[in-house]
């Protein structure tokens, strides 16, 4: 829902799973996502009702447990209704990778890599940290990203910068270095996807 908003526009839902606004012609409401979000409250309510019934039992079977059927059946019916529609919504949505890439470049997420670059060139990290901070401030003032600074602009802060800095600041390379469990490296992301797919397949066999 957040990613559909104009502030992000990371994804765009198919018209079959969205509607227009009654007052704002430019707006596209992610109906299915919003309805499922609402249904989540209903399922949580079923869970809390069931837990409250069971919590009050001292031992064995009591007539209270007549109340355990309705929330279980309602939760299952609700989830089974939501999943196929939500899955179809995901299958037909468009992922705006161009907007994602542009957004990734605005947060100076490669600033640490810039400091690491200077450290590898022999500068103490505390000085590299300060130098990178100066560059970030300069970028903010000029409306640039770190990788958009010219080599001359970089060298005004430190002569240790060379043309190889642009490879170090490239977001794709920065991501590739984060290969720890759960990290954003492509190899790690693929591993996580494969793990989820294997889990789903194992559940389907059961």
């Amino acid at each position: 829902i957040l990613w559909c908003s104009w502030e992000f526009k990371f994804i765009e839902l198919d018209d079959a799973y969205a509607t227009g606004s009654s007052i704002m012609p430019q707006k596209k409401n992610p109906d299915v996502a919003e309805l499922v979000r609402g249904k989540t409250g209903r399922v949580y309510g079923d869970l809390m009702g069931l837990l409250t019934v069971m919590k009050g039992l001292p031992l064995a079977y009591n007539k209270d447990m007549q109340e355990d059927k309705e929330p279980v059946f309602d939760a299952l019916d609700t989830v089974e209704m939501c999943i196929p529609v939500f899955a179809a919504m995901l299958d037909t949505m468009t992922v705006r990778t161009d907007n994602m890439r542009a957004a990734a470049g605005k947060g100076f997420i490669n600033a640490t890599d810039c400091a690491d670059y200077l450290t590898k060139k022999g500068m103490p990290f505390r000085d590299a940290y300060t130098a990178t901070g100066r560059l970030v401030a300069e970028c903010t003032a000029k409306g640039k990203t770190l990788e958009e600074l010219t080599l001359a602009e970089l060298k005004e802060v430190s002569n240790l910068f060379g043309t190889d800095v642009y490879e170090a600041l490239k977001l794709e390379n920065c991501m590739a270095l984060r290969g720890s469990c759960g990290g954003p490296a492509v190899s790690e992301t693929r591993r996580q996807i494969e793990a989820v797919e294997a889990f789903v397949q194992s559940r389907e066999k059961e």
Side-chain angles (χ1 to χ4, degrees), residues 47-59 62 64-65:
L47 173 62
M48 292 308 299
L50 180 61
L51 291 176
T52 302
V53 169
M54 302 307 291
K55 179 72 173 176
L57 301 181
L59 183 66
N62 293 263
D64 310 44
M65 291 180 69

Side-chain angles (χ1 to χ4, degrees), residues 100-114 132 135-136 138-140 143-154 161-175:
M100 290 182 173
R101 178 61 180 81
K106 294 178 181 178
F108 299 108
I109 59 175
N110 53 359
T112 301
D113 299 273
C114 182
T132 302
L135 290 173
V136 168
E138 184 175 344
C139 286
T140 302
K144 290 185 174 183
T145 62
L146 285 171
E147 58 269 35
E148 289 174 342
L149 292 174
T150 65
L151 187 58
E153 288 173 319
L154 292 169
F161 283 114
T163 54
D164 57 340
V165 68
Y166 295 106
E167 282 299 308
L169 294 177
K170 191 175 180 180
L171 294 187
E172 290 78 2
N173 294 337
C174 296
M175 286 176 56

Side-chain angles (χ1 to χ4, degrees), residues 4 10-18 28-33 83-96:
C4 283
F10 291 167
I11 61 173
E12 186 171 342
L13 298 183
D14 186 87
D15 289 347
Y17 301 92
K28 189 175 182 179
N29 296 318
D31 286 0
V32 170
I83 288 178
V85 181
F86 204 85
M89 180 192 72
L90 294 178
D91 285 339
T92 57
M93 76 179 185
T94 301
V95 179
R96 300 293 303 273

